[in-house]
Amino acid sequence: MPELLVLVAVGAGTYAMRAAFLVPARPAPPAMARVLPHVGPAVLGALVAPALLAPHGAVTVAGTVPGVVAAAGAWLLWRRTRSLPVALFGALTLALLTTAVFR
């Protein structure tokens, strides 16, 4: 029973910390409000770039080139067709082909 109370307390604390940022007591300052829309794309880029450029912890031709080629191909296909499935399947095809070439 004490374990259950600890889990409930930790869950309630986690929820309260997250909810505190969703319901601000006062509006954000203008400088922060101007920058906030750029936080999401910056975080996404910070997560994707290392995984794309150094997938195994180091930059190698066999590890880096297929991902970079697939990402560039996905972007180009999406820009031309505006179809996400076409871009994803095209990028998958490019990744498989370039991986086969470099192995």
Side-chain angles (χ1 to χ4, degrees), residues 60-80:
T60 61
V61 173
T64 304
V65 171
V68 172
V69 168
W75 182 78
L76 286 172
L77 283 170
W78 182 80
R79 290 288 292 178
R80 295 222 183 238

Side-chain angles (χ1 to χ4, degrees), residues 52 55 60-72 91 94-103:
L52 185 66
T60 61
V61 173
T64 304
V65 171
V68 172
V69 168
L94 281 172
L96 291 174
L97 289 173
T98 53
T99 300
V101 167
F102 283 103
R103 285 195 179 175

Side-chain angles (χ1 to χ4, degrees), residues 28-53:
M32 185 185 295
R34 190 173 55 250
V35 175
L36 279 177
H38 303 290
V39 172
V43 169
L44 184 62
L47 290 172
V48 169
L52 185 66
L53 298 176

Side-chain angles (χ1 to χ4, degrees), residues 1 4 7-8 15 23 26 28 31-33 40 42-44 49 52 57 71 84 87 90-91 100 103:
M1 185 68 179
L4 182 61
L7 287 175
V8 169
Y15 182 78
V23 185
R26 55 189 167 92
M32 185 185 295
V43 169
L44 184 62
L52 185 66
L84 187 59
R103 285 195 179 175

